[in-house]
Amino acid sequence: MNSTKILIVEDEKDIRCSLSELLREACYQTIEATNGRSALDIFSPDISLVILDVMLPDMSGFDVCAAIREKSTAPVLFLTAMGSETDIIHGFEVGGDDYLKKPFLAGELTARIHSLFRRSQFYNTASHEVKASCLSYGSLKLSLERNYCENNGLSIQLTDTEYCILRLLLERRGDPLSPRYIYEQVWNEPFLDNSSNTVMVHIRSLRKKLEMDPHHPKLIQTAWAKGYMISKKEKA
Ligand code: CA
């Protein structure tokens, strides 16, 4: 068994136990919580991923996610019976990385977990070959070796997904990147009808963290009918 720990937060015993069994078969260590409070008590930096039910008895999974985001960038996968677009967008806004609607297929869950880990591990290790250690743009600095971002001398905590999107935009400065391209590159999954919303929500969240005025973005611009871009010329 490898040392990767996954926290499962789910109040329905049958679902919790079958999730745990499935993940143990896939050689992950699992820790279980039956409500939001105990999830936050149990959460520690050595937890690599969180599977989070939205409807918990004591608090909403969205609030649990927001509290986890104050101290960690570990990937969060929401499990939700509520599948409306508003719910899904809200899940991304509070820092979730992916979601799966109940009932779900075991194969889909493990595929999504593997994809989240691929993203997270690739960007959190310095093992991949990089010539420069950092991408700079005006007062913004983005490490190429791990998920670390600095703006105006202040460290900005980005989720792994936000980091990947920002890095892609910085590496392709001057090119408008379509939501489809961004989704396929960052999520590494086929683009579906609601995928451009997923990208949009993450762009919105990046703007909130990086722009002086997120409603009039200077860094991540919208190229009408083309997508998103960071211009080639650095703005003062
Ligand atoms: Ca529940």
Side-chain angles (χ1 to χ4, degrees):
M1 180 166 293
N2 72 31
S3 60
T4 309
K5 274 189 202 165
I6 299 181
L7 173 62
I8 301 167
V9 190
E10 168 65 72
D11 57 313
E12 284 171 61
K13 193 176 174 207
D14 290 350
I15 301 180
R16 194 175 62 247
C17 294
S18 51
L19 277 171
S20 193
E21 199 175 317
L22 181 73
L23 294 171
R24 281 166 191 271
E25 276 170 14
C27 292
Y28 294 113
Q29 287 185 38
T30 60
I31 306 175
E32 299 174 22
T34 57
N35 60 58
R37 286 272 153 247
S38 64
L40 293 175
D41 287 344
I42 291 172
F43 188 83
S44 63
D46 65 336
I47 287 173
S48 309
L49 185 141
V50 183
I51 297 178
L52 187 52
D53 181 28
V54 175
M55 301 276 275
L56 292 165
D58 56 342
M59 60 195 282
S60 141
F62 295 140
D63 294 336
V64 176
C65 180
I68 288 174
R69 277 288 164 265
E70 285 176 14
K71 48 189 175 185
S72 168
T73 58
V76 171
L77 171 75
F78 282 113
L79 277 187
T80 170
M82 313 191 292
S84 81
E85 199 168 300
T86 322
D87 294 324
I88 291 164
I89 289 178
H90 187 53
F92 287 129
E93 281 176 340
V94 295
D97 295 279
D98 204 355
Y99 68 91
L100 199 53
K101 284 183 202 169
K102 291 177 186 173
F104 53 85
L105 299 170
E108 187 176 6
L109 176 84
T110 44
R112 281 178 185 271
I113 287 176
H114 291 155
S115 156
L116 284 168
F117 273 135
R118 265 201 310 276
R119 233 181 292 163
S120 160
Q121 279 158 3
F122 179 76
Y123 288 101
N124 280 306
T125 56
S127 59
H128 57 296
E129 287 176 30
V130 281
K131 289 201 171 70
S133 63
C134 165
L135 284 170
S136 297
Y137 186 80
S139 57
L140 179 75
K141 287 189 172 51
L142 191 76
S143 166
L144 284 171
E145 296 178 348
R146 65 196 170 94
N147 178 349
Y148 180 77
C149 175
E150 213 180 88
N151 198 17
N152 295 315
L154 295 172
S155 126
I156 311 284
Q157 206 176 38
L158 301 179
T159 66
D160 290 331
T161 308
E162 289 162 358
Y163 172 87
C164 296
I165 295 173
L166 182 59
R167 179 170 168 167
L168 188 64
L169 289 166
L170 280 170
E171 285 173 338
R172 299 279 307 271
R173 269 164 56 180
D175 293 339
L177 304 181
S178 70
R180 172 185 287 270
Y181 179 80
I182 295 173
Y183 190 83
E184 287 171 351
Q185 292 294 309
V186 172
W187 275 261
N188 201 14
E189 283 169 24
F191 186 83
L192 303 171
D193 283 350
N194 57 3
S195 304
S196 44
N197 272 330
T198 304
V199 173
M200 181 197 69
V201 171
H202 284 85
I203 294 279
R204 198 191 295 161
S205 156
L206 270 171
R207 283 172 171 162
K208 270 193 205 155
K209 293 181 181 179
L210 299 169
E211 304 275 2
M212 294 276 274
D213 177 0
H215 297 293
H216 299 94
K218 296 251 188 294
L219 176 70
I220 303 176
Q221 297 165 19
T222 302
W224 182 247
K226 288 183 181 164
Y228 304 100
M229 67 180 282
I230 291 180
S231 83
K232 254 201 158 83
K233 272 192 190 157
E234 290 178 18
K235 298 238 163 82

